[in-house]
Amino acid sequence: MRRLGELLEAVETETAQGGRAVSYEPLGVVWLALGERSRSEGATAGQIEAVERLQAVTRMEPRLVAGRVVRLDGRDWRIRLVDPDQPGPGRATLSLERTTR
């Protein structure tokens, strides 16, 4: 199944109080063929943290770089790895990940 996702770049700025604020700048949209999804859980400092991983195939393009975010159905997935020319020329397999607490 193909899904349309919004590609975003995280932009950090310093607040007036000296803290950091993160906003997301839209870079466009990408069509993704979603693959397998996996989930693992662990406890950190008394909190349960779940990490979801998702594989997706799309057309290769220069905007697809590790660290950017793909928003699918209102959920933000960080691009962890871009594997170019997989599964074929002109395509890329993305390893996406999101953490929930």
Side-chain angles (χ1 to χ4, degrees):
M1 172 171 37
R2 289 180 11 143
R3 305 291 292 273
L4 187 64
E6 185 178 9
L7 186 62
L8 306 165
E9 174 82 54
V11 178
E12 287 190 24
T13 55
E14 189 171 328
T15 66
Q17 294 79 23
R20 311 283 293 158
V22 178
S23 61
Y24 293 93
E25 178 181 316
L27 299 175
V29 295
V30 291
W31 281 103
L32 302 168
L34 303 182
E36 294 184 32
R37 184 182 296 207
S38 65
R39 179 182 171 102
S40 61
E41 293 183 358
T44 306
Q47 290 186 340
I48 295 176
E49 182 175 270
V51 177
E52 289 183 85
R53 291 175 184 84
L54 176 64
Q55 298 290 317
V57 175
T58 187
R59 290 184 190 265
M60 186 58 207
E61 60 173 274
R63 298 180 303 166
L64 297 171
V65 295
R68 289 194 170 152
V69 172
V70 175
R71 184 168 288 156
L72 292 167
D73 300 325
R75 295 185 175 129
D76 291 345
W77 295 83
R78 184 159 310 278
I79 299 174
R80 291 292 175 202
L81 177 70
V82 178
D83 191 2
D85 295 325
Q86 296 298 325
R91 300 282 182 191
T93 298
L94 305 180
S95 295
L96 306 172
E97 184 176 279
R98 75 184 205 100
T99 304
T100 59
R101 295 174 199 241

